[in-house]
């Protein structure tokens, strides 16, 4: 006689970058094991792969390949709060005294922060606007697997965010052009446009939370949790 199959409850959440409502189930022992292996690895590439697998398992009829990275971070924390509880306890080393500090965080207090100066549109000149997109999980996986000593890594990251170039009369999708054609376009951009692309990355929405504590010298310190580290601490 077969063992009974356990039915899991379904919940709903909204994906930050699109506003799309999706259904999900809590993660099970299977996802817990994936998470533990990724935590032990201390490797950002393995953590992103694990995060993608967990989300793919738990979201219902939803392809996560095109999720922005901050979507992944938000979904992971939502899954964690519904699957276990809202509280995460962990230990850090104080940089001033080297003492071990026990900290606790309520997941509900970790919010997706939006910079009011952030924009997906960059004015190139009086005619053209560059429209940017958020790099997907797949693109982040490719980036995480690159040699970070390669001086062209930042260039590849910038290229991954190119969506369209537009004017009042034209609209060009970068996906329709070859890598060489995109390279030629990038080489034609002025330095100010490159700075604006960099600002786009610096101001993208992100999960961030600060925890205040006092070390044994009585000095107040701030521990910052940001991005996927919110989930893999």
């Amino acid at each position: 006689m077969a063992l009974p199959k356990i039915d899991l409850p379904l919940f709903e959440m909204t994906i930050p970058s699109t506003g799309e409502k999706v259904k999900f189930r809590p993660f099970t022992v299977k996802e817990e094991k994936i998470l533990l292996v990724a935590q032990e690895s201390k490797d950002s590439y393995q953590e992103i792969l694990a995060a993608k697998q967990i989300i793919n398992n738990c979201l219902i009829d939803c392809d996560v390949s095109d999720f922005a990275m901050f979507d992944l971070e938000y979904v992971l924390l939502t899954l964690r709060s519904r699957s276990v509880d809202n509280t995460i306890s962990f230990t850090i080393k104080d940089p001033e005294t080297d003492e071990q500090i026990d900290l606790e965080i309520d997941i509900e207090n970790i919010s997706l922060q939006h910079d009011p100066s952030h924009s997906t549109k960059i004015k190139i000149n009086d005619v053209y606007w560059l429209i940017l997109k958020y790099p997907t999980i797949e693109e982040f996986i490719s980036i995480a697997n690159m040699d970070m000593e390669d001086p062209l890594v930042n260039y590849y990251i910038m290229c991954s965010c190119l969506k369209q170039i537009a004017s009042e009369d034209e609209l060009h999708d970068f996906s329709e052009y070859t890598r060489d054609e995109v390279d030629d376009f990038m080489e034609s951009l002025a330095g100010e446009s490159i700075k604006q692309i960099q600002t786009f990355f610096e101001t993208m929405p992100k999960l961030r939370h600060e925890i205040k504590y006092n070390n044994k010298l009585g000095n107040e310190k701030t521990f910052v949790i940001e991005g996927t580290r919110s989930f893999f601490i």
Side-chain angles (χ1 to χ4, degrees):
M1 181 169 145
L3 290 170
K5 185 176 180 179
I6 307 300
D7 290 328
L8 296 170
L10 292 181
F11 302 99
E12 190 174 79
M13 76 172 87
T14 302
I15 304 303
S17 69
T18 64
E20 177 188 4
K21 292 187 180 298
V22 298
K23 288 183 170 58
F24 68 96
R25 65 161 175 82
F27 57 67
T28 63
V29 172
K30 179 179 181 180
E31 284 78 44
E32 288 271 16
K33 289 165 67 176
I34 296 170
L35 174 62
L36 287 172
V37 170
Q39 285 175 323
E40 288 296 320
S41 74
K42 306 295 184 185
D43 183 299
S44 60
Y45 175 67
Q46 295 301 323
E47 289 175 353
I48 295 173
L49 286 178
K52 180 188 173 186
Q53 186 175 356
I54 290 169
I55 292 175
N56 265 328
N57 289 357
C58 296
L59 264 58
I60 310 300
D61 298 327
C62 184
D63 183 8
V64 306
S65 298
D66 292 331
F67 276 19
M69 196 62 187
F70 60 85
D71 288 331
L72 175 139
E73 296 164 357
Y74 173 82
V75 171
L76 278 176
L77 282 187
T78 303
L79 283 172
R80 170 64 167 74
S81 66
R82 290 290 189 176
S83 304
V84 186
D85 59 46
N86 290 343
T87 303
I88 300 177
S89 299
F90 56 100
T91 301
I92 65 166
K93 180 186 286 189
D94 179 69
E96 183 180 18
T97 64
D98 287 337
E99 66 183 300
Q100 298 295 309
I101 305 290
D102 294 326
L103 297 177
E104 186 175 274
I105 186 169
D106 185 339
I107 289 174
E108 299 294 333
N109 293 330
I110 303 177
S111 60
L112 191 65
Q113 299 194 352
H114 299 267
D115 190 316
S117 67
H118 181 69
S119 176
T120 58
K121 292 179 67 177
I122 290 175
K123 187 175 182 179
I124 298 176
N125 54 36
D126 291 336
V127 178
Y128 290 106
W129 289 82
L130 189 61
I131 302 171
L132 306 177
K133 65 181 181 68
Y134 300 117
T136 64
I137 295 174
E138 295 298 330
E139 287 163 339
F140 263 99
I141 289 173
S142 298
I143 292 166
N145 207 25
M146 290 179 180
D147 179 3
M148 291 298 111
E149 300 299 319
D150 186 340
L152 291 178
V153 167
N154 286 338
Y155 173 77
Y156 296 140
I157 294 172
M158 284 192 290
C159 288
S160 72
C161 76
L162 301 176
K163 182 179 181 181
Q164 297 170 323
I165 183 169
S167 70
E168 290 186 2
D169 305 313
E170 303 173 55
L171 183 65
H172 302 273
D173 286 299
F174 282 97
S175 61
E176 298 174 356
Y177 293 88
T178 67
R179 180 59 180 271
D180 286 342
E181 289 172 319
V182 174
D183 285 343
D184 286 343
F185 170 80
M186 288 292 286
E187 289 174 2
S188 72
L189 289 179
E192 182 57 33
S193 297
I194 298 299
K195 286 181 182 178
Q196 290 185 72
I197 295 176
Q198 292 169 339
T199 299
F200 166 80
F201 278 96
E202 292 167 359
T203 60
M204 275 199 303
K206 60 184 175 183
L207 287 173
R208 191 177 190 277
H209 185 70
E210 296 183 356
I211 304 176
K212 304 286 187 181
Y213 69 90
N214 291 315
N215 63 20
K216 64 185 180 182
L217 298 177
N219 296 328
E220 185 178 78
K221 299 290 184 177
T222 302
F223 179 72
V224 177
I225 300 176
E226 216 171 78
T228 51
R229 298 310 316 151
S230 307
F231 196 73
F232 288 98
I233 53 177

